Amino acid sequence: MPKTVIIPPGTGKPLAPYVPGTLADGILYVSGTLPFDKDNNVVHVGDAGAQARHVLETIKGVVEAAGGTMDDVTFNHIFVRDWSDYGAINAVYAEYFPGDKPARYCIQCGLVKPDALVEIATVAHVGKAG
């Protein structure tokens, strides 16, 4: 099965060997997305809600570059540095998924940069490829 690498315009260079998204057979896999600017600096330090918004906007860009919308998202993997940020992250998350919610899980863990408070990886079904 062929796969298509999805790299939205203006995407910075990843910290590790990965791409923002991979589309295969109509399923889009969006890599774990952190609140980074184009130079891999953490944005909105100390503000979990603003970081969540930045992450979800970045994910939205990958989904749209693959031909989909946020309504096509079926699953999110959410990683938080501290449970005290859970409410702020959920408030922003609900704005991006106002109707039927995707399935998801959320775990607390250390993230690649200490100032990052949230990371989200996504699966979306954007239709049959090719």
Side-chain angles (χ1 to χ4, degrees):
M1 150 182 41
K3 65 181 180 182
T4 302
V5 169
I6 306 297
I7 303 174
T11 299
K13 184 177 184 205
L15 285 175
Y18 66 91
V19 295
T22 302
L23 181 63
D25 199 27
I27 303 171
L28 175 65
Y29 302 91
V30 181
S31 293
T33 304
L34 290 146
F36 289 168
D37 64 15
K38 292 178 187 175
D39 298 317
N40 294 314
N41 297 307
V42 175
V43 297
H44 310 295
V45 173
D47 186 338
Q51 286 191 8
R53 185 173 312 285
H54 184 88
V55 166
L56 288 163
E57 281 296 319
T58 302
I59 290 168
K60 183 179 175 185
V62 176
V63 172
E64 289 175 351
T69 70
M70 292 299 271
D71 287 338
D72 297 319
V73 172
T74 55
F75 197 88
N76 286 304
H77 315 263
I78 304 171
F79 308 91
V80 298
R81 193 183 77 184
D82 192 302
W83 286 121
S84 66
D85 295 322
Y86 190 67
I89 292 165
N90 274 334
V92 172
Y93 183 92
E95 294 174 25
Y96 285 81
F97 303 103
D100 292 334
K101 311 292 185 244
R104 74 178 213 180
Y105 68 77
C106 185
I107 63 169
Q108 179 183 5
C109 62
L111 299 175
V112 70
K113 288 196 178 182
D115 287 333
L117 303 175
V118 61
E119 178 175 355
I120 301 174
T122 296
V123 178
H125 290 248
V126 298
K128 281 284 191 190

